[in-house]
Amino acid sequence: MLAGNTGKRMTWEEIIEKYPHQNVGLVDCYPNSYNIQSAIVKYTEADTSYNEMIEKALDGEIEMRFTSLDKCYVLKQ
């Protein structure tokens, strides 16, 4: 089992909390890959390079998501 893959289903909120501000490779997404409510994390940036994750996503092995897109902030000076 890979470092990121616990085999445990997690909600999207739990995934964001455990893997903040990084790409994750997800499998078994529920209800679907466009509206993820829960999934199993198979890969993270900590154990798999960005290019490898892109290849796996293009091959259909995973759904790749960035966990903090909805929490990005523009800093004002």
PDB file of all heavy atoms in Angstrom, residues 1-10 12 15 19 22-29 38-49 52-53 56-57 59-65:
ATOM      1  N   MET A   1       0.845  -1.173   0.000  1.00  0.00           N
ATOM      2  CA  MET A   1       0.000   0.000   0.000  1.00  0.00           C
ATOM      3  C   MET A   1       0.887   1.232   0.000  1.00  0.00           C
ATOM      4  O   MET A   1       1.864   1.315   0.717  1.00  0.00           O
ATOM      5  CB  MET A   1      -0.901  -0.015   1.239  1.00  0.00           C
ATOM      6  CG  MET A   1      -1.953   1.047   1.216  1.00  0.00           C
ATOM      7  SD  MET A   1      -3.096   0.981   2.638  1.00  0.00           S
ATOM      8  CE  MET A   1      -3.789  -0.635   2.486  1.00  0.00           C
ATOM      9  N   LEU A   2       0.549   2.230  -0.799  1.00  0.00           N
ATOM     10  CA  LEU A   2       1.336   3.452  -0.885  1.00  0.00           C
ATOM     11  C   LEU A   2       1.132   4.319   0.348  1.00  0.00           C
ATOM     12  O   LEU A   2       0.156   4.179   1.077  1.00  0.00           O
ATOM     13  CB  LEU A   2       0.924   4.232  -2.140  1.00  0.00           C
ATOM     14  CG  LEU A   2       1.206   3.496  -3.448  1.00  0.00           C
ATOM     15  CD1 LEU A   2       0.581   4.203  -4.619  1.00  0.00           C
ATOM     16  CD2 LEU A   2       2.692   3.342  -3.655  1.00  0.00           C
ATOM     17  N   ALA A   3       2.054   5.251   0.551  1.00  0.00           N
ATOM     18  CA  ALA A   3       2.006   6.116   1.739  1.00  0.00           C
ATOM     19  C   ALA A   3       0.695   6.882   1.832  1.00  0.00           C
ATOM     20  O   ALA A   3       0.139   7.037   2.905  1.00  0.00           O
ATOM     21  CB  ALA A   3       3.180   7.077   1.720  1.00  0.00           C
ATOM     22  N   GLY A   4       0.192   7.366   0.708  1.00  0.00           N
ATOM     23  CA  GLY A   4      -1.042   8.137   0.737  1.00  0.00           C
ATOM     24  C   GLY A   4      -2.288   7.280   0.845  1.00  0.00           C
ATOM     25  O   GLY A   4      -3.328   7.750   1.267  1.00  0.00           O
ATOM     26  N   ASN A   5      -2.189   6.025   0.465  1.00  0.00           N
ATOM     27  CA  ASN A   5      -3.358   5.161   0.402  1.00  0.00           C
ATOM     28  C   ASN A   5      -3.579   4.436   1.725  1.00  0.00           C
ATOM     29  O   ASN A   5      -2.906   3.462   2.036  1.00  0.00           O
ATOM     30  CB  ASN A   5      -3.202   4.151  -0.736  1.00  0.00           C
ATOM     31  CG  ASN A   5      -4.445   3.336  -0.953  1.00  0.00           C
ATOM     32  OD1 ASN A   5      -5.395   3.386  -0.187  1.00  0.00           O
ATOM     33  ND2 ASN A   5      -4.452   2.572  -2.015  1.00  0.00           N
ATOM     34  N   THR A   6      -4.549   4.915   2.466  1.00  0.00           N
ATOM     35  CA  THR A   6      -4.890   4.250   3.718  1.00  0.00           C
ATOM     36  C   THR A   6      -5.935   3.174   3.495  1.00  0.00           C
ATOM     37  O   THR A   6      -6.185   2.362   4.380  1.00  0.00           O
ATOM     38  CB  THR A   6      -5.461   5.254   4.736  1.00  0.00           C
ATOM     39  OG1 THR A   6      -6.675   5.799   4.215  1.00  0.00           O
ATOM     40  CG2 THR A   6      -4.477   6.364   5.023  1.00  0.00           C
ATOM     41  N   GLY A   7      -6.577   3.191   2.317  1.00  0.00           N
ATOM     42  CA  GLY A   7      -7.653   2.261   2.044  1.00  0.00           C
ATOM     43  C   GLY A   7      -8.949   2.678   2.719  1.00  0.00           C
ATOM     44  O   GLY A   7      -9.967   2.008   2.599  1.00  0.00           O
ATOM     45  N   LYS A   8      -8.908   3.794   3.421  1.00  0.00           N
ATOM     46  CA  LYS A   8     -10.065   4.275   4.174  1.00  0.00           C
ATOM     47  C   LYS A   8     -10.821   5.333   3.368  1.00  0.00           C
ATOM     48  O   LYS A   8     -10.228   6.268   2.856  1.00  0.00           O
ATOM     49  CB  LYS A   8      -9.581   4.897   5.491  1.00  0.00           C
ATOM     50  CG  LYS A   8     -10.667   5.514   6.309  1.00  0.00           C
ATOM     51  CD  LYS A   8     -10.081   6.231   7.518  1.00  0.00           C
ATOM     52  CE  LYS A   8     -11.173   7.056   8.170  1.00  0.00           C
ATOM     53  NZ  LYS A   8     -10.652   8.126   8.986  1.00  0.00           N
ATOM     54  N   ARG A   9     -12.122   5.157   3.272  1.00  0.00           N
ATOM     55  CA  ARG A   9     -12.950   6.165   2.614  1.00  0.00           C
ATOM     56  C   ARG A   9     -13.008   7.400   3.504  1.00  0.00           C
ATOM     57  O   ARG A   9     -13.194   7.313   4.714  1.00  0.00           O
ATOM     58  CB  ARG A   9     -14.362   5.636   2.378  1.00  0.00           C
ATOM     59  CG  ARG A   9     -15.300   6.674   1.774  1.00  0.00           C
ATOM     60  CD  ARG A   9     -16.566   6.060   1.254  1.00  0.00           C
ATOM     61  NE  ARG A   9     -16.303   5.195   0.125  1.00  0.00           N
ATOM     62  CZ  ARG A   9     -16.065   5.637  -1.123  1.00  0.00           C
ATOM     63  NH1 ARG A   9     -16.058   6.914  -1.390  1.00  0.00           N
ATOM     64  NH2 ARG A   9     -15.849   4.777  -2.093  1.00  0.00           N
ATOM     65  N   MET A  10     -12.815   8.563   2.876  1.00  0.00           N
ATOM     66  CA  MET A  10     -12.839   9.830   3.599  1.00  0.00           C
ATOM     67  C   MET A  10     -13.767  10.798   2.883  1.00  0.00           C
ATOM     68  O   MET A  10     -13.919  10.721   1.663  1.00  0.00           O
ATOM     69  CB  MET A  10     -11.433  10.443   3.639  1.00  0.00           C
ATOM     70  CG  MET A  10     -10.397   9.570   4.312  1.00  0.00           C
ATOM     71  SD  MET A  10      -8.706  10.159   4.045  1.00  0.00           S
ATOM     72  CE  MET A  10      -8.711  11.604   5.083  1.00  0.00           C
ATOM     73  N   TRP A  12     -14.723  14.545   1.447  1.00  0.00           N
ATOM     74  CA  TRP A  12     -13.885  15.558   0.810  1.00  0.00           C
ATOM     75  C   TRP A  12     -13.328  16.523   1.865  1.00  0.00           C
ATOM     76  O   TRP A  12     -12.171  16.903   1.813  1.00  0.00           O
ATOM     77  CB  TRP A  12     -14.679  16.294  -0.256  1.00  0.00           C
ATOM     78  CG  TRP A  12     -13.886  17.356  -0.946  1.00  0.00           C
ATOM     79  CD1 TRP A  12     -14.149  18.689  -0.974  1.00  0.00           C
ATOM     80  CD2 TRP A  12     -12.681  17.192  -1.718  1.00  0.00           C
ATOM     81  NE1 TRP A  12     -13.186  19.364  -1.693  1.00  0.00           N
ATOM     82  CE2 TRP A  12     -12.282  18.455  -2.164  1.00  0.00           C
ATOM     83  CE3 TRP A  12     -11.906  16.090  -2.054  1.00  0.00           C
ATOM     84  CZ2 TRP A  12     -11.131  18.664  -2.935  1.00  0.00           C
ATOM     85  CZ3 TRP A  12     -10.760  16.307  -2.832  1.00  0.00           C
ATOM     86  CH2 TRP A  12     -10.390  17.569  -3.264  1.00  0.00           C
ATOM     87  N   ILE A  15     -10.407  14.889   3.541  1.00  0.00           N
ATOM     88  CA  ILE A  15      -9.259  14.874   2.630  1.00  0.00           C
ATOM     89  C   ILE A  15      -8.583  16.246   2.629  1.00  0.00           C
ATOM     90  O   ILE A  15      -7.358  16.347   2.727  1.00  0.00           O
ATOM     91  CB  ILE A  15      -9.685  14.451   1.210  1.00  0.00           C
ATOM     92  CG1 ILE A  15     -10.144  12.992   1.214  1.00  0.00           C
ATOM     93  CG2 ILE A  15      -8.536  14.661   0.214  1.00  0.00           C
ATOM     94  CD1 ILE A  15     -10.844  12.542  -0.052  1.00  0.00           C
ATOM     95  N   TYR A  19      -4.802  16.584   3.867  1.00  0.00           N
ATOM     96  CA  TYR A  19      -3.851  16.866   2.787  1.00  0.00           C
ATOM     97  C   TYR A  19      -4.052  18.290   2.270  1.00  0.00           C
ATOM     98  O   TYR A  19      -4.409  18.492   1.105  1.00  0.00           O
ATOM     99  CB  TYR A  19      -4.028  15.863   1.644  1.00  0.00           C
ATOM    100  CG  TYR A  19      -3.949  14.425   2.077  1.00  0.00           C
ATOM    101  CD1 TYR A  19      -5.105  13.664   2.236  1.00  0.00           C
ATOM    102  CD2 TYR A  19      -2.723  13.828   2.351  1.00  0.00           C
ATOM    103  CE1 TYR A  19      -5.033  12.335   2.640  1.00  0.00           C
ATOM    104  CE2 TYR A  19      -2.647  12.500   2.752  1.00  0.00           C
ATOM    105  CZ  TYR A  19      -3.802  11.768   2.897  1.00  0.00           C
ATOM    106  OH  TYR A  19      -3.719  10.450   3.299  1.00  0.00           O
ATOM    107  N   GLN A  22      -2.484  20.590  -1.609  1.00  0.00           N
ATOM    108  CA  GLN A  22      -1.698  19.678  -2.440  1.00  0.00           C
ATOM    109  C   GLN A  22      -2.584  18.869  -3.373  1.00  0.00           C
ATOM    110  O   GLN A  22      -3.793  18.794  -3.197  1.00  0.00           O
ATOM    111  CB  GLN A  22      -0.842  18.752  -1.584  1.00  0.00           C
ATOM    112  CG  GLN A  22      -1.619  17.814  -0.673  1.00  0.00           C
ATOM    113  CD  GLN A  22      -0.698  16.928   0.146  1.00  0.00           C
ATOM    114  OE1 GLN A  22       0.013  16.089  -0.419  1.00  0.00           O
ATOM    115  NE2 GLN A  22      -0.684  17.126   1.449  1.00  0.00           N
ATOM    116  N   ASN A  23      -1.939  18.289  -4.367  1.00  0.00           N
ATOM    117  CA  ASN A  23      -2.641  17.399  -5.288  1.00  0.00           C
ATOM    118  C   ASN A  23      -2.790  16.028  -4.646  1.00  0.00           C
ATOM    119  O   ASN A  23      -1.876  15.541  -3.990  1.00  0.00           O
ATOM    120  CB  ASN A  23      -1.858  17.264  -6.593  1.00  0.00           C
ATOM    121  CG  ASN A  23      -1.917  18.525  -7.405  1.00  0.00           C
ATOM    122  OD1 ASN A  23      -2.985  18.936  -7.825  1.00  0.00           O
ATOM    123  ND2 ASN A  23      -0.778  19.157  -7.606  1.00  0.00           N
ATOM    124  N   VAL A  24      -3.948  15.436  -4.853  1.00  0.00           N
ATOM    125  CA  VAL A  24      -4.204  14.087  -4.384  1.00  0.00           C
ATOM    126  C   VAL A  24      -4.774  13.267  -5.540  1.00  0.00           C
ATOM    127  O   VAL A  24      -5.476  13.798  -6.397  1.00  0.00           O
ATOM    128  CB  VAL A  24      -5.186  14.051  -3.179  1.00  0.00           C
ATOM    129  CG1 VAL A  24      -4.544  14.654  -1.949  1.00  0.00           C
ATOM    130  CG2 VAL A  24      -6.490  14.760  -3.478  1.00  0.00           C
ATOM    131  N   GLY A  25      -4.449  11.993  -5.547  1.00  0.00           N
ATOM    132  CA  GLY A  25      -4.996  11.067  -6.534  1.00  0.00           C
ATOM    133  C   GLY A  25      -6.056  10.227  -5.850  1.00  0.00           C
ATOM    134  O   GLY A  25      -5.766   9.525  -4.881  1.00  0.00           O
ATOM    135  N   LEU A  26      -7.287  10.319  -6.310  1.00  0.00           N
ATOM    136  CA  LEU A  26      -8.417   9.671  -5.663  1.00  0.00           C
ATOM    137  C   LEU A  26      -8.953   8.503  -6.477  1.00  0.00           C
ATOM    138  O   LEU A  26      -8.937   8.531  -7.705  1.00  0.00           O
ATOM    139  CB  LEU A  26      -9.543  10.693  -5.461  1.00  0.00           C
ATOM    140  CG  LEU A  26      -9.171  11.989  -4.750  1.00  0.00           C
ATOM    141  CD1 LEU A  26     -10.346  12.959  -4.780  1.00  0.00           C
ATOM    142  CD2 LEU A  26      -8.732  11.714  -3.329  1.00  0.00           C
ATOM    143  N   VAL A  27      -9.469   7.499  -5.779  1.00  0.00           N
ATOM    144  CA  VAL A  27     -10.156   6.371  -6.406  1.00  0.00           C
ATOM    145  C   VAL A  27     -11.479   6.146  -5.686  1.00  0.00           C
ATOM    146  O   VAL A  27     -11.675   6.619  -4.567  1.00  0.00           O
ATOM    147  CB  VAL A  27      -9.312   5.072  -6.382  1.00  0.00           C
ATOM    148  CG1 VAL A  27      -8.050   5.235  -7.224  1.00  0.00           C
ATOM    149  CG2 VAL A  27      -8.956   4.661  -4.968  1.00  0.00           C
ATOM    150  N   ASP A  28     -12.360   5.426  -6.338  1.00  0.00           N
ATOM    151  CA  ASP A  28     -13.657   5.066  -5.762  1.00  0.00           C
ATOM    152  C   ASP A  28     -14.409   6.308  -5.273  1.00  0.00           C
ATOM    153  O   ASP A  28     -14.882   6.366  -4.147  1.00  0.00           O
ATOM    154  CB  ASP A  28     -13.477   4.051  -4.640  1.00  0.00           C
ATOM    155  CG  ASP A  28     -14.776   3.331  -4.297  1.00  0.00           C
ATOM    156  OD1 ASP A  28     -15.694   3.341  -5.151  1.00  0.00           O
ATOM    157  OD2 ASP A  28     -14.883   2.782  -3.198  1.00  0.00           O
ATOM    158  N   CYS A  29     -14.480   7.314  -6.155  1.00  0.00           N
ATOM    159  CA  CYS A  29     -15.137   8.582  -5.816  1.00  0.00           C
ATOM    160  C   CYS A  29     -16.653   8.413  -5.776  1.00  0.00           C
ATOM    161  O   CYS A  29     -17.236   7.767  -6.639  1.00  0.00           O
ATOM    162  CB  CYS A  29     -14.784   9.650  -6.841  1.00  0.00           C
ATOM    163  SG  CYS A  29     -13.020   9.965  -6.959  1.00  0.00           S
ATOM    164  N   SER A  38     -17.065  11.806  -1.211  1.00  0.00           N
ATOM    165  CA  SER A  38     -16.107  10.967  -0.494  1.00  0.00           C
ATOM    166  C   SER A  38     -15.301  10.167  -1.510  1.00  0.00           C
ATOM    167  O   SER A  38     -15.723   9.981  -2.648  1.00  0.00           O
ATOM    168  CB  SER A  38     -16.825  10.030   0.482  1.00  0.00           C
ATOM    169  OG  SER A  38     -17.588   9.077  -0.211  1.00  0.00           O
ATOM    170  N   ALA A  39     -14.109   9.735  -1.068  1.00  0.00           N
ATOM    171  CA  ALA A  39     -13.219   8.974  -1.944  1.00  0.00           C
ATOM    172  C   ALA A  39     -12.131   8.331  -1.094  1.00  0.00           C
ATOM    173  O   ALA A  39     -12.039   8.578   0.109  1.00  0.00           O
ATOM    174  CB  ALA A  39     -12.595   9.894  -2.987  1.00  0.00           C
ATOM    175  N   ILE A  40     -11.315   7.520  -1.752  1.00  0.00           N
ATOM    176  CA  ILE A  40     -10.147   6.929  -1.121  1.00  0.00           C
ATOM    177  C   ILE A  40      -8.922   7.579  -1.746  1.00  0.00           C
ATOM    178  O   ILE A  40      -8.804   7.655  -2.969  1.00  0.00           O
ATOM    179  CB  ILE A  40     -10.119   5.401  -1.334  1.00  0.00           C
ATOM    180  CG1 ILE A  40     -11.325   4.764  -0.650  1.00  0.00           C
ATOM    181  CG2 ILE A  40      -8.812   4.803  -0.815  1.00  0.00           C
ATOM    182  CD1 ILE A  40     -11.531   3.302  -0.977  1.00  0.00           C
ATOM    183  N   VAL A  41      -8.001   8.081  -0.909  1.00  0.00           N
ATOM    184  CA  VAL A  41      -6.774   8.717  -1.396  1.00  0.00           C
ATOM    185  C   VAL A  41      -5.777   7.612  -1.745  1.00  0.00           C
ATOM    186  O   VAL A  41      -5.403   6.809  -0.889  1.00  0.00           O
ATOM    187  CB  VAL A  41      -6.179   9.664  -0.331  1.00  0.00           C
ATOM    188  CG1 VAL A  41      -4.860  10.240  -0.824  1.00  0.00           C
ATOM    189  CG2 VAL A  41      -7.166  10.775   0.012  1.00  0.00           C
ATOM    190  N   LYS A  42      -5.368   7.581  -3.006  1.00  0.00           N
ATOM    191  CA  LYS A  42      -4.406   6.570  -3.457  1.00  0.00           C
ATOM    192  C   LYS A  42      -2.996   7.147  -3.549  1.00  0.00           C
ATOM    193  O   LYS A  42      -2.027   6.462  -3.254  1.00  0.00           O
ATOM    194  CB  LYS A  42      -4.834   6.003  -4.811  1.00  0.00           C
ATOM    195  CG  LYS A  42      -3.981   4.848  -5.283  1.00  0.00           C
ATOM    196  CD  LYS A  42      -4.593   4.142  -6.453  1.00  0.00           C
ATOM    197  CE  LYS A  42      -3.737   2.930  -6.847  1.00  0.00           C
ATOM    198  NZ  LYS A  42      -4.340   2.216  -7.970  1.00  0.00           N
ATOM    199  N   TYR A  43      -2.876   8.406  -3.973  1.00  0.00           N
ATOM    200  CA  TYR A  43      -1.582   9.063  -4.104  1.00  0.00           C
ATOM    201  C   TYR A  43      -1.660  10.477  -3.548  1.00  0.00           C
ATOM    202  O   TYR A  43      -2.714  11.107  -3.603  1.00  0.00           O
ATOM    203  CB  TYR A  43      -1.153   9.164  -5.578  1.00  0.00           C
ATOM    204  CG  TYR A  43      -1.076   7.853  -6.306  1.00  0.00           C
ATOM    205  CD1 TYR A  43      -2.016   7.512  -7.257  1.00  0.00           C
ATOM    206  CD2 TYR A  43      -0.032   6.969  -6.046  1.00  0.00           C
ATOM    207  CE1 TYR A  43      -1.942   6.304  -7.933  1.00  0.00           C
ATOM    208  CE2 TYR A  43       0.053   5.759  -6.712  1.00  0.00           C
ATOM    209  CZ  TYR A  43      -0.908   5.432  -7.666  1.00  0.00           C
ATOM    210  OH  TYR A  43      -0.827   4.235  -8.323  1.00  0.00           O
ATOM    211  N   THR A  44      -0.524  10.967  -3.049  1.00  0.00           N
ATOM    212  CA  THR A  44      -0.410  12.367  -2.638  1.00  0.00           C
ATOM    213  C   THR A  44       0.896  12.915  -3.199  1.00  0.00           C
ATOM    214  O   THR A  44       1.754  12.151  -3.663  1.00  0.00           O
ATOM    215  CB  THR A  44      -0.378  12.518  -1.100  1.00  0.00           C
ATOM    216  OG1 THR A  44       0.855  12.000  -0.607  1.00  0.00           O
ATOM    217  CG2 THR A  44      -1.556  11.823  -0.444  1.00  0.00           C
ATOM    218  N   GLU A  45       1.065  14.231  -3.125  1.00  0.00           N
ATOM    219  CA  GLU A  45       2.312  14.842  -3.577  1.00  0.00           C
ATOM    220  C   GLU A  45       3.503  14.338  -2.774  1.00  0.00           C
ATOM    221  O   GLU A  45       4.629  14.376  -3.244  1.00  0.00           O
ATOM    222  CB  GLU A  45       2.232  16.360  -3.437  1.00  0.00           C
ATOM    223  CG  GLU A  45       1.385  17.020  -4.481  1.00  0.00           C
ATOM    224  CD  GLU A  45       1.402  18.538  -4.375  1.00  0.00           C
ATOM    225  OE1 GLU A  45       2.037  19.085  -3.451  1.00  0.00           O
ATOM    226  OE2 GLU A  45       0.777  19.177  -5.224  1.00  0.00           O
ATOM    227  N   ALA A  46       3.271  13.871  -1.555  1.00  0.00           N
ATOM    228  CA  ALA A  46       4.358  13.403  -0.697  1.00  0.00           C
ATOM    229  C   ALA A  46       4.976  12.106  -1.205  1.00  0.00           C
ATOM    230  O   ALA A  46       6.144  11.832  -0.938  1.00  0.00           O
ATOM    231  CB  ALA A  46       3.846  13.214   0.732  1.00  0.00           C
ATOM    232  N   ASP A  47       4.205  11.295  -1.931  1.00  0.00           N
ATOM    233  CA  ASP A  47       4.732  10.007  -2.374  1.00  0.00           C
ATOM    234  C   ASP A  47       4.776   9.826  -3.892  1.00  0.00           C
ATOM    235  O   ASP A  47       5.339   8.855  -4.369  1.00  0.00           O
ATOM    236  CB  ASP A  47       3.934   8.848  -1.746  1.00  0.00           C
ATOM    237  CG  ASP A  47       2.454   8.900  -2.058  1.00  0.00           C
ATOM    238  OD1 ASP A  47       2.085   9.242  -3.190  1.00  0.00           O
ATOM    239  OD2 ASP A  47       1.661   8.596  -1.161  1.00  0.00           O
ATOM    240  N   THR A  48       4.206  10.752  -4.644  1.00  0.00           N
ATOM    241  CA  THR A  48       4.127  10.612  -6.098  1.00  0.00           C
ATOM    242  C   THR A  48       4.349  11.969  -6.746  1.00  0.00           C
ATOM    243  O   THR A  48       3.733  12.953  -6.343  1.00  0.00           O
ATOM    244  CB  THR A  48       2.753  10.058  -6.513  1.00  0.00           C
ATOM    245  OG1 THR A  48       2.490   8.861  -5.769  1.00  0.00           O
ATOM    246  CG2 THR A  48       2.692   9.744  -7.986  1.00  0.00           C
ATOM    247  N   SER A  49       5.209  12.033  -7.750  1.00  0.00           N
ATOM    248  CA  SER A  49       5.482  13.313  -8.409  1.00  0.00           C
ATOM    249  C   SER A  49       4.249  13.798  -9.174  1.00  0.00           C
ATOM    250  O   SER A  49       3.371  13.007  -9.549  1.00  0.00           O
ATOM    251  CB  SER A  49       6.666  13.179  -9.373  1.00  0.00           C
ATOM    252  OG  SER A  49       6.272  12.491 -10.553  1.00  0.00           O
ATOM    253  N   GLU A  52       3.889  12.058 -12.539  1.00  0.00           N
ATOM    254  CA  GLU A  52       3.364  10.700 -12.413  1.00  0.00           C
ATOM    255  C   GLU A  52       1.859  10.722 -12.158  1.00  0.00           C
ATOM    256  O   GLU A  52       1.120   9.900 -12.707  1.00  0.00           O
ATOM    257  CB  GLU A  52       4.054   9.967 -11.266  1.00  0.00           C
ATOM    258  CG  GLU A  52       5.493   9.562 -11.551  1.00  0.00           C
ATOM    259  CD  GLU A  52       6.138   8.929 -10.337  1.00  0.00           C
ATOM    260  OE1 GLU A  52       6.285   9.619  -9.303  1.00  0.00           O
ATOM    261  OE2 GLU A  52       6.471   7.730 -10.436  1.00  0.00           O
ATOM    262  N   MET A  53       1.421  11.661 -11.316  1.00  0.00           N
ATOM    263  CA  MET A  53      -0.009  11.755 -11.028  1.00  0.00           C
ATOM    264  C   MET A  53      -0.802  12.143 -12.274  1.00  0.00           C
ATOM    265  O   MET A  53      -1.887  11.606 -12.514  1.00  0.00           O
ATOM    266  CB  MET A  53      -0.258  12.729  -9.878  1.00  0.00           C
ATOM    267  CG  MET A  53       0.198  12.151  -8.542  1.00  0.00           C
ATOM    268  SD  MET A  53      -0.003  13.266  -7.151  1.00  0.00           S
ATOM    269  CE  MET A  53      -1.770  13.272  -6.980  1.00  0.00           C
ATOM    270  N   LYS A  56      -1.157   9.057 -14.412  1.00  0.00           N
ATOM    271  CA  LYS A  56      -2.144   8.131 -13.848  1.00  0.00           C
ATOM    272  C   LYS A  56      -3.568   8.649 -14.064  1.00  0.00           C
ATOM    273  O   LYS A  56      -4.489   7.865 -14.319  1.00  0.00           O
ATOM    274  CB  LYS A  56      -1.852   7.894 -12.363  1.00  0.00           C
ATOM    275  CG  LYS A  56      -0.564   7.127 -12.137  1.00  0.00           C
ATOM    276  CD  LYS A  56      -0.210   7.025 -10.682  1.00  0.00           C
ATOM    277  CE  LYS A  56       1.120   6.375 -10.439  1.00  0.00           C
ATOM    278  NZ  LYS A  56       1.350   5.087 -11.045  1.00  0.00           N
ATOM    279  N   ALA A  57      -3.747   9.955 -13.976  1.00  0.00           N
ATOM    280  CA  ALA A  57      -5.063  10.540 -14.225  1.00  0.00           C
ATOM    281  C   ALA A  57      -5.455  10.386 -15.700  1.00  0.00           C
ATOM    282  O   ALA A  57      -6.595  10.033 -16.011  1.00  0.00           O
ATOM    283  CB  ALA A  57      -5.069  12.010 -13.816  1.00  0.00           C
ATOM    284  N   ASP A  59      -4.458   8.106 -17.687  1.00  0.00           N
ATOM    285  CA  ASP A  59      -4.697   6.674 -17.920  1.00  0.00           C
ATOM    286  C   ASP A  59      -6.009   6.197 -17.299  1.00  0.00           C
ATOM    287  O   ASP A  59      -6.405   5.050 -17.474  1.00  0.00           O
ATOM    288  CB  ASP A  59      -3.547   5.831 -17.367  1.00  0.00           C
ATOM    289  CG  ASP A  59      -2.286   5.934 -18.204  1.00  0.00           C
ATOM    290  OD1 ASP A  59      -2.369   6.371 -19.372  1.00  0.00           O
ATOM    291  OD2 ASP A  59      -1.207   5.575 -17.682  1.00  0.00           O
ATOM    292  N   GLY A  60      -6.664   7.068 -16.519  1.00  0.00           N
ATOM    293  CA  GLY A  60      -7.934   6.698 -15.901  1.00  0.00           C
ATOM    294  C   GLY A  60      -7.791   5.942 -14.591  1.00  0.00           C
ATOM    295  O   GLY A  60      -8.775   5.453 -14.041  1.00  0.00           O
ATOM    296  N   GLU A  61      -6.572   5.860 -14.056  1.00  0.00           N
ATOM    297  CA  GLU A  61      -6.359   5.138 -12.805  1.00  0.00           C
ATOM    298  C   GLU A  61      -6.885   5.926 -11.598  1.00  0.00           C
ATOM    299  O   GLU A  61      -7.380   5.341 -10.640  1.00  0.00           O
ATOM    300  CB  GLU A  61      -4.864   4.863 -12.608  1.00  0.00           C
ATOM    301  CG  GLU A  61      -4.546   4.123 -11.333  1.00  0.00           C
ATOM    302  CD  GLU A  61      -3.063   3.906 -11.118  1.00  0.00           C
ATOM    303  OE1 GLU A  61      -2.277   3.981 -12.088  1.00  0.00           O
ATOM    304  OE2 GLU A  61      -2.697   3.647  -9.968  1.00  0.00           O
ATOM    305  N   ILE A  62      -6.765   7.252 -11.656  1.00  0.00           N
ATOM    306  CA  ILE A  62      -7.171   8.109 -10.535  1.00  0.00           C
ATOM    307  C   ILE A  62      -7.908   9.337 -11.033  1.00  0.00           C
ATOM    308  O   ILE A  62      -7.865   9.672 -12.221  1.00  0.00           O
ATOM    309  CB  ILE A  62      -5.947   8.595  -9.714  1.00  0.00           C
ATOM    310  CG1 ILE A  62      -5.004   9.414 -10.604  1.00  0.00           C
ATOM    311  CG2 ILE A  62      -5.267   7.445  -9.018  1.00  0.00           C
ATOM    312  CD1 ILE A  62      -3.906  10.150  -9.874  1.00  0.00           C
ATOM    313  N   GLU A  63      -8.564  10.000 -10.103  1.00  0.00           N
ATOM    314  CA  GLU A  63      -9.064  11.350 -10.307  1.00  0.00           C
ATOM    315  C   GLU A  63      -8.107  12.252  -9.534  1.00  0.00           C
ATOM    316  O   GLU A  63      -7.860  12.022  -8.347  1.00  0.00           O
ATOM    317  CB  GLU A  63     -10.480  11.513  -9.745  1.00  0.00           C
ATOM    318  CG  GLU A  63     -11.527  10.722 -10.476  1.00  0.00           C
ATOM    319  CD  GLU A  63     -11.719  11.179 -11.912  1.00  0.00           C
ATOM    320  OE1 GLU A  63     -11.543  12.390 -12.189  1.00  0.00           O
ATOM    321  OE2 GLU A  63     -12.017  10.327 -12.758  1.00  0.00           O
ATOM    322  N   MET A  64      -7.539  13.242 -10.201  1.00  0.00           N
ATOM    323  CA  MET A  64      -6.572  14.108  -9.541  1.00  0.00           C
ATOM    324  C   MET A  64      -7.254  15.414  -9.172  1.00  0.00           C
ATOM    325  O   MET A  64      -7.925  16.028  -9.988  1.00  0.00           O
ATOM    326  CB  MET A  64      -5.392  14.362 -10.469  1.00  0.00           C
ATOM    327  CG  MET A  64      -4.272  15.118  -9.841  1.00  0.00           C
ATOM    328  SD  MET A  64      -2.859  15.089 -10.970  1.00  0.00           S
ATOM    329  CE  MET A  64      -2.064  16.586 -10.471  1.00  0.00           C
ATOM    330  N   ARG A  65      -7.087  15.826  -7.915  1.00  0.00           N
ATOM    331  CA  ARG A  65      -7.688  17.066  -7.427  1.00  0.00           C
ATOM    332  C   ARG A  65      -6.685  17.826  -6.576  1.00  0.00           C
ATOM    333  O   ARG A  65      -5.845  17.237  -5.908  1.00  0.00           O
ATOM    334  CB  ARG A  65      -8.920  16.781  -6.557  1.00  0.00           C
ATOM    335  CG  ARG A  65     -10.076  16.158  -7.279  1.00  0.00           C
ATOM    336  CD  ARG A  65     -10.755  17.180  -8.188  1.00  0.00           C
ATOM    337  NE  ARG A  65     -11.920  16.632  -8.811  1.00  0.00           N
ATOM    338  CZ  ARG A  65     -11.948  15.992  -9.960  1.00  0.00           C
ATOM    339  NH1 ARG A  65     -10.838  15.793 -10.609  1.00  0.00           N
ATOM    340  NH2 ARG A  65     -13.068  15.534 -10.459  1.00  0.00           N
TER     341      ARG A  65
END
